[in-house]
Amino acid sequence: MAHRKLFGVAEHQRRQTNVLRETLIANEKGCVIVCSPGSIERSGQALLREYAKTHPVVHIVRDAKSIRNHLKIWDEEKIDHLLGISGSIFRTCSNLEFYNLSESRTSANESLDYLESQGHNKALSRNNLAGQASPPTPFLTLKRAERDFLKFLNLATSKTMSDSSLESFYPLARVATEARTYTHAISVPLSFLTSTSIELEDIVSATDAFELVVDDLDRSRSPHPLSSARADQIGQAVASIRRHAVIPIIYHVAIGTKNDGPGEHKDYVDRVLHGLRLAPEYATIDLSLSDDAVARLLAVKGNSKIIGNAFFPDRPSCGWDDPRCFASYERAMALGCDLVKLSIPANSIDDNFAVQRFRSQVAALPSSRIPLVAYNTGRLGRMSVCFNPIFTPVTHQALVGVYDRDTSQQVPEGASRSAMLDLGRTTSNDEAPLVTACEANQALYSSFILDPMHFYIYGASVNYSLSPAMHNAAYRICGMPHDYKTSQATSLKGLYDLVSDPNFGGAAITQPYKIEVIALTHSLSRHAKAIGAVNTLIPIRNLPPNGGIPDDLSFLQERNHAGPVKALYGDNTDWIGIRVCLRRGLSPVNAVRNSSSGLVIGAGGMARAAVYAMIQMGVKNIFIHNRTFENAEKLAAHYNRLDTSSFTPQGPAATVRVIRSYTDAWPEEHRLPTMVVCCIPANSIDGQPAANFVLPSKWLKSPTGGVVIEVR
Ligand SMILES: O=C1C[C@@](O)(C(=O)O)C[C@@H](O)[C@@H]1O
């Protein structure tokens, strides 16, 4: 303000633009430059527009209510008007967009006040609300925003940036979703998300991807340009899916009627362009667009994988044998799409077999083909939907009826769930999925395409374990006929019997066999190797011709297929769970630095994993305390021998030290630990009583607090 007054508006703007230009040039790489809206005048906008051609420029959007609260302007119309104008301008200056979800602290408090006024106990209500994704504890308020933004940056710019803290280390995460078999995509219309307050976590269970259907281009209305408010709404939907679900997003715009002449469809293209700015993992492009229009969209796809989509609402007279089907596949491939999705309404059961033949025809193409999603729509096409191997579009009971808004159908009060589901299926939308993920899975197992498998938790004392209850519940929800049992044994010998069953699906290995079991494996993940302990055994049924163990995890595709087990792969997932808990509880003030310390109590298999989790998080000073000192020394020596600097990109190797006695003071030259993991079994093992260890309070005096977790 003072500068503007002193030099006048024109000179102030000129200087401001110069500063922006110099900053952009001098900090091209490895840097985040923040521009506030007020600092970008017309010439600054032109600068950014140019910069965005070669660099990521992110437009950050927030909801009007939070902006209103922040600026303390109470005139709603004024704010909406301002946002509408600035949104349109800033969208032209940027190539990416991040929607910053606000914590609903006020809404949660409002609900609490309301409940209290209704005579409810505030503390109890608070607990109930906590279960509904209400805001975290105050010191963790920015954690979710931080996580969301890092996830977004990683998706948008992962060619230039790799953040191991966001990587998923579960074995299957290394196989691209479109390369897995029998995956399901829950298909949810934007209009549904914006009109209901459903828990997203509930509808994504049993699915592998989230298809967000932007459904405001209906078939009768035209034209329908994308408003700034609608663009915000789409951004908000993508952001909340990303926050509440870990599965990838497929961004799909339902094309509606064409209205700008053949092959153009500006309203549709604008919505796809907007979606690509949000960096979804996948986005569809309708193949009815001209080659040029598809090419223009592909040119700005960034890291999103593009699914060329062709739906033939008027079923070709010879169905899948119509040359346009194969031509669409070849065209999408030639244009540079990453996948193709073709669908045709079924008019007889035979169409379900025809799509299978079509798939074989594509599979017979020479090597470089792209993945194909192909099925029939409508009630008669449900069989082909179940057998489609990639991204099968599915619905959920909570969504029943959402496609029926245009019809006069009403779900009768008191109708059973299946009756409701059936009613929902008489839908007015030809493309709407009619099968749930659970039903699709049931069909795969009952038609013998997949086999029921047996899973176990194997250890000396496993009756306490919650794993069977958790896994069996998950199988039921997913429509899988598997079972998960405990197998309590005094030696590893019993494992041979389990593995020799052709329906052996895999096993969790627990105390005291996590180290000993390595001798029975034929191949280990790099994490299990470094930790020196295995808690997950995966069967391998097909060995390559040279008899070696496939190192590309291709054996994971064999899951749910019975047959003799030829080898065992060992992995360790304990450290992943520990890392997740530590990261979730660590407040920004305790972000890991070279001076941070961690403490692990115990020296068994779980303690090994805890040390590894800390090393992976970049902790350089790790301490172990264990009842038997020699075992603690062995564990420390194990990690001090390894080159732990190669585990993470951050700085020097970690040092692992032992604290001999719980009466010892915390080593003076090190900070008190901000993370503590207790790995002492709470139950008795091998007849040994459970240790009754109490953490010395003098080790828990970190001035900034920290996280203590107990792994049982
Ligand atoms: O050691 C354990 C305990 C556990 O097996 C359980 O069910 O409690 C779960 C395993 O993944 C873990 O390695």
Side-chain angles (χ1 to χ4, degrees):
M1 283 301 229
H3 190 268
R4 193 192 295 243
K5 251 193 194 148
L6 199 62
F7 295 95
V9 174
E11 178 59 11
H12 172 73
Q13 280 184 10
R14 202 186 60 77
R15 289 195 179 199
Q16 198 163 263
T17 307
N18 278 347
V19 171
L20 180 61
R21 183 182 296 111
E22 280 162 21
T23 312
L24 292 178
I25 294 171
N27 302 285
E28 252 201 314
K29 285 201 175 112
C31 195
V32 176
I33 304 166
V34 181
C35 308
S36 70
S39 66
I40 323 168
E41 309 285 350
R42 205 169 290 254
S43 45
Q45 291 162 16
L47 256 184
L48 281 184
R49 216 165 280 138
E50 207 42 43
Y51 203 66
K53 289 183 183 158
T54 43
H55 298 79
V57 177
V58 186
H59 174 210
I60 299 196
V61 184
R62 264 194 108 167
D63 62 291
K65 194 171 167 202
S66 304
I67 295 178
R68 215 159 52 220
N69 289 345
H70 181 69
L71 297 179
K72 309 237 180 314
I73 299 175
W74 307 115
D75 184 341
E76 283 190 29
E77 256 177 49
K78 204 166 159 186
I79 281 283
D80 288 346
H81 179 68
L82 208 74
L83 285 180
I85 295 178
S86 62
S88 322
I89 294 175
F90 294 137
R91 284 194 169 108
T92 66
C93 306
S94 54
N95 46 23
L96 290 165
E97 187 161 327
F98 174 74
Y99 192 99
N100 190 11
L101 290 175
S102 303
E103 296 294 350
S104 54
R105 181 170 300 283
T106 42
S107 56
N109 281 339
E110 277 161 17
S111 319
L112 286 173
D113 292 338
Y114 169 77
L115 289 172
E116 199 182 33
S117 70
Q118 301 296 304
H120 291 263
N121 174 311
K122 199 160 182 169
L124 281 180
S125 316
R126 194 178 294 279
N127 272 342
N128 287 340
L129 285 174
Q132 301 169 18
S134 62
T137 38
F139 58 94
L140 294 176
T141 302
L142 286 177
K143 287 253 1 151
R144 299 208 285 187
E146 177 196 45
R147 184 177 165 273
D148 293 348
F149 191 57
L150 287 175
K151 194 170 168 187
F152 166 79
L153 283 186
N154 202 44
L155 283 168
T157 64
S158 66
K159 280 196 193 96
T160 52
M161 170 184 146
S162 144
D163 182 350
S164 69
S165 65
L166 292 162
E167 222 181 292
S168 170
F169 291 97
Y170 286 105
L172 201 53
R174 280 176 54 200
V175 181
T177 319
E178 74 274 14
R180 302 178 201 164
T181 41
Y182 300 115
T183 49
H184 301 124
I186 176 85
S187 181
V188 184
L190 176 68
S191 58
F192 175 74
L193 282 183
T194 51
S195 61
T196 33
S197 55
I198 190 151
E199 295 289 323
L200 286 177
E201 284 95 341
D202 291 345
I203 56 171
V204 298
S205 59
T207 59
D208 307 272
F210 193 113
E211 183 182 56
L212 172 66
V213 183
V214 176
D215 59 341
D216 61 342
L217 289 177
D218 74 41
R219 282 163 198 266
S220 51
R221 215 165 14 164
S222 63
H224 198 39
L226 176 66
S227 67
S228 189
R230 170 75 66 198
D232 286 357
Q233 203 175 45
I234 296 174
Q236 185 178 20
V238 166
S240 47
I241 298 166
R242 217 166 248 161
R243 174 171 285 185
H244 297 287
V246 290
I247 52 180
I249 296 174
I250 302 174
Y251 179 84
H252 174 66
V253 181
I255 193 153
T257 13
K258 296 199 197 92
N259 49 28
D260 319 291
E264 286 308 324
H265 205 339
K266 184 168 180 321
D267 293 345
Y268 170 81
V269 168
D270 283 350
R271 280 161 175 76
V272 177
L273 283 172
H274 178 62
L276 291 172
R277 292 164 52 81
L278 305 166
E281 286 85 345
Y282 302 88
T284 60
I285 295 182
D286 201 277
L287 292 172
S288 67
L289 296 188
S290 66
D291 283 5
D292 276 357
V294 175
R296 277 199 298 274
L297 289 172
L298 282 167
V300 293
K301 76 182 189 117
N303 288 338
S304 301
K305 290 182 185 164
I306 298 299
I307 306 174
N309 183 54
F311 172 53
F312 300 88
D314 305 316
R315 181 185 179 280
S317 58
C318 47
W320 290 95
D321 293 327
D322 188 293
R324 280 179 293 164
C325 296
F326 200 72
S328 294
Y329 179 85
E330 291 203 302
R331 178 167 167 255
M333 189 157 65
L335 285 170
C337 293
D338 301 286
L339 293 94
V340 188
K341 178 174 164 185
L342 305 176
S343 49
I344 301 182
N347 71 353
S348 82
I349 285 290
D350 288 345
D351 279 343
N352 294 287
F353 299 103
V355 66
Q356 204 57 41
R357 285 199 303 278
F358 179 80
R359 203 174 280 123
S360 308
Q361 196 187 340
V362 168
L365 283 175
S367 58
S368 59
R369 56 200 158 78
I370 55 177
L372 168 70
V373 183
Y375 57 88
N376 292 113
T377 59
R379 289 173 69 80
L380 285 172
R382 284 177 292 177
M383 182 172 141
S384 67
V385 168
C386 296
F387 297 150
N388 167 63
I390 306 166
F391 289 151
T392 296
V394 291
T395 185
H396 185 275
Q397 292 191 335
L399 292 164
V400 166
V402 279
Y403 292 98
D404 284 3
R405 282 177 323 250
D406 318 345
T407 69
S408 55
Q409 298 238 32
Q410 290 285 320
V411 175
E413 224 174 283
S416 72
R417 274 200 169 272
S418 60
M420 284 164 63
L421 198 56
D422 232 49
L423 188 52
R425 280 168 178 156
T426 40
T427 164
S428 54
N429 180 336
D430 316 338
E431 281 179 274
L434 302 174
V435 171
T436 64
C438 176
E439 288 171 325
N441 273 328
Q442 280 167 344
L444 288 168
Y445 287 94
S446 49
S447 58
F448 309 106
I449 289 185
L450 299 177
D451 298 311
M453 309 300 280
H454 305 306
F455 296 87
Y456 303 90
I457 167 156
Y458 192 94
S461 169
V462 287
N463 291 335
Y464 71 92
S465 170
L466 293 178
S467 288
M470 287 163 56
H471 286 256
N472 288 321
Y475 299 149
R476 263 198 318 278
I477 287 175
C478 295
M480 294 169 159
H482 306 325
D483 55 39
Y484 192 111
K485 295 182 181 150
T486 54
S487 183
Q488 188 149 309
T490 49
S491 80
L492 268 179
K493 277 200 202 103
L495 203 52
Y496 289 101
D497 286 341
L498 307 185
V499 173
S500 64
D501 175 354
N503 292 74
F504 172 72
I509 305 296
T510 189
Q511 309 270 21
Y513 304 125
K514 290 186 181 188
I515 298 167
E516 196 184 335
V517 76
I518 291 179
L520 304 188
T521 61
H522 303 82
S523 171
L524 292 180
S525 74
R526 70 187 162 95
H527 308 295
K529 237 180 252 170
I531 295 168
V534 157
N535 83 324
T536 303
L537 275 188
I538 302 175
I540 302 179
R541 293 191 157 84
N542 290 303
L543 297 178
N546 67 8
I549 304 296
D551 56 7
D552 57 356
L553 296 191
S554 54
F555 57 85
L556 293 176
Q557 299 286 23
E558 303 167 1
R559 51 193 213 291
N560 305 325
H561 290 288
V565 176
K566 305 267 177 53
L568 289 172
Y569 176 79
D571 204 343
N572 190 305
T573 59
D574 284 336
W575 77 275
I576 306 172
I578 296 171
R579 192 185 74 139
V580 168
C581 291
L582 288 174
R583 288 183 65 221
R584 200 178 282 158
L586 213 56
S587 60
V589 69
N590 285 324
V592 175
R593 301 177 182 84
N594 279 355
S595 57
S596 309
S597 306
L599 169 65
V600 175
I601 309 289
M606 194 65 92
R608 279 176 181 247
V611 174
Y612 188 73
M614 288 184 186
I615 294 174
Q616 285 283 354
M617 290 173 71
V619 185
K620 306 296 175 204
N621 313 293
I622 302 169
F623 295 84
I624 306 174
H625 172 71
N626 187 53
R627 186 167 49 179
T628 313
F629 173 69
E630 292 70 31
N631 292 345
E633 288 246 283
K634 263 190 223 154
L635 175 48
H638 166 83
Y639 281 110
N640 290 334
R641 259 197 316 269
L642 293 177
D643 175 16
T644 55
S645 64
S646 63
F647 293 178
T648 56
Q650 305 124 296
T655 309
V656 185
R657 302 175 176 89
V658 177
I659 304 187
R660 186 183 273 269
S661 161
Y662 66 88
T663 57
D664 289 356
W666 188 259
E668 246 174 36
E669 60 286 16
H670 291 283
R671 288 188 170 206
L672 280 154
T674 43
M675 49 186 94
V676 180
V677 184
C678 234
C679 306
I680 302 182
N683 48 302
S684 84
I685 291 177
D686 273 350
Q688 297 248 13
N692 190 15
F693 180 77
V694 178
L695 260 173
S697 59
K698 58 181 181 282
W699 295 349
L700 295 175
K701 293 229 159 59
S702 154
T704 51
V707 191
V708 178
I709 61 172
E710 195 167 4
V711 193
R712 285 167 173 254

